[in-house]
Amino acid sequence: MSLHTQLLQGRGGVLLFGITPPRRSATPEKIREIAEITLGRLTGLDLDGLILYDIDDESDRNPGERPFPYLPTIDPVEFHTHLGAWDRPVVIYRCVGKYAEDELRSWLTTADTDRVLGVFVGASSGDKPVRTDLRRAQALRAEVRPELGLGAVVIPERHARGGEEHLRMLTKQERGCSFFISQVIYDAGETKDLLSDYFYACRAGGLEPRPVIFTLSLCGSTKTLAFLKWLGVDVPRWLENTLLHAEDPLAESHREVLAIAQDLRDYCERLGLPYGFHVESVSIRKVEIDAAVRLTEELGALLRSAPIEA
């Protein structure tokens, strides 16, 4: 079963791995080298698909100093062409505010819907100028290429602060989104609050809940921890203290992230809510990327194992 069909039918068990395309300043030779290294890392992983991020400057959302500098990257659509040996689906993020409507229309028209799905991301703040807003981009997809599998971002932290993220999910679902991918999760409690509100809102409205794919990422240094927080990830104080004082923060975060994954898996199984996992490395350090690959292998085993009885 294709990834698109699996998500469209509301089935869980999806395993994805996310990567950021090379810097825009990279030479063609460097881009090819990065593509080869990427494909080598993915060899042997039983993935349902690959996520290619569309990076945008988010300094408008957080004026604080960015722990890792913002460096423009090549378009994920372009980088996909360098991954010719990758024969499985790709989920391409589109920060829609960066693109004119004609540019989005062109991509929608030419995308290979057998191999490509999309996730539309709105502006990082309400004050940011955009060329196409999220609602118009969703409508454009419905007009031009409704068969393109479309997902949306979900942010548990936003729900913890305002209590309305589940309503945004319902709205996006109504506009054609067949799955959701979370921001990086370090607080399982916040996430379960959101899942609960979404699940029971679906039940009240007679709707089938759509698959929610949980994004997990490891933290191997104080700088990575600072970057996660800059991105808006809520890290519980106890866990932040643990990582700051651990002799091996990467190993400690690995243990805690697996515990979070287990907790979310068991909760979704009890609810009957379809779910999956997505692993990314917010750091470019090789040791953290390699650890992310190992984590993906373990999450694949977790998805295939029987749930723990409540």
Side-chain angles (χ1 to χ4, degrees), residues 222-282:
T222 56
K223 196 167 186 179
T224 300
L225 177 60
F227 188 44
L228 285 168
K229 295 180 70 175
W230 187 91
L231 289 170
V233 177
D234 279 353
V235 181
R237 183 61 177 270
W238 69 267
L239 181 50
E240 180 179 355
N241 283 335
T242 297
L243 295 175
L244 287 174
H245 294 90
E247 291 186 10
D248 187 348
L250 186 57
E252 192 67 37
S253 74
H254 195 154
R255 184 175 70 84
E256 294 298 341
V257 165
L258 278 177
I260 290 170
Q262 179 77 67
D263 190 5
L264 293 176
R265 187 200 72 158
D266 293 346
Y267 184 67
C268 288
E269 293 283 354
R270 289 197 297 272
L271 276 183
L273 191 151
Y275 68 96
F277 295 117
H278 157 229
V279 178
E280 68 161 311
S281 176
V282 301

Side-chain angles (χ1 to χ4, degrees), residues 26-263:
T27 64
E29 293 76 15
K30 185 64 175 178
I31 292 173
R32 285 194 293 270
E33 177 187 344
I34 292 172
E36 291 174 3
I37 292 172
T38 297
L39 291 170
R41 284 196 176 108
L42 300 178
T43 299
L45 290 179
D46 188 19
L47 295 172
D48 294 292
L50 183 67
I51 288 180
L52 297 180
Y53 283 113
D54 191 9
I55 303 300
D56 197 11
D57 182 6
E58 297 185 13
S59 57
D60 57 301
R61 179 187 56 80
N62 186 344
E65 183 178 355
R66 198 179 194 272
F68 297 115
Y70 168 70
L71 297 170
T73 58
I74 66 172
D75 192 306
V77 175
E78 178 186 347
F79 189 50
H80 187 203
T81 65
H82 293 275
L83 299 172
W86 180 256
D87 59 357
R88 279 171 271 182
V90 170
V91 181
I92 294 180
Y93 272 51
R94 300 271 79 182
C95 293
V96 296
K98 293 166 51 176
Y99 305 101
E101 187 172 314
D102 286 348
E103 292 175 294
L104 288 173
R105 183 185 298 273
S106 175
W107 175 68
L108 287 166
T109 302
T110 59
D112 180 355
T113 55
D114 291 330
R115 297 183 61 208
V116 173
L117 298 87
V119 169
F120 288 169
V121 182
S124 50
S125 76
D127 298 327
K128 187 170 189 172
V130 298
R131 301 173 73 186
T132 305
D133 65 28
L134 182 58
R135 183 168 186 172
R136 177 54 191 152
Q138 292 165 340
L140 189 64
R141 172 257 178 193
E143 296 167 13
V144 176
R145 209 70 186 283
E147 65 270 30
L148 177 77
L150 183 65
V153 173
V154 61
I155 303 177
E157 287 84 355
R158 193 159 57 191
H159 192 67
R161 289 158 178 69
E164 297 184 344
E165 187 71 358
H166 67 300
L167 302 180
R168 293 187 182 91
M169 294 172 73
L170 294 175
T171 297
K172 291 173 181 178
Q173 188 170 330
E174 182 181 343
R175 294 175 185 169
C177 293
S178 58
F179 62 98
F180 299 97
I181 300 181
S182 79
Q183 179 172 271
V184 172
I185 293 170
Y186 263 83
D187 191 322
E190 283 185 352
T191 304
K192 290 194 289 185
D193 285 346
L194 171 59
L195 296 175
S196 176
D197 288 344
Y198 171 64
F199 179 82
Y200 289 110
C202 284
R203 176 181 286 186
L207 301 172
E208 289 293 327
R210 307 310 306 166
V212 180
I213 301 170
F214 305 117
T215 299
L216 301 170
S217 187
L218 298 175
C219 176
S221 71
T222 56
K223 196 167 186 179
T224 300
L225 177 60
F227 188 44
L228 285 168
K229 295 180 70 175
W230 187 91
L231 289 170
V233 177
D234 279 353
V235 181
R237 183 61 177 270
W238 69 267
L239 181 50
E240 180 179 355
N241 283 335
T242 297
L243 295 175
L244 287 174
H245 294 90
E247 291 186 10
D248 187 348
L250 186 57
E252 192 67 37
S253 74
H254 195 154
R255 184 175 70 84
E256 294 298 341
V257 165
L258 278 177
I260 290 170
Q262 179 77 67
D263 190 5

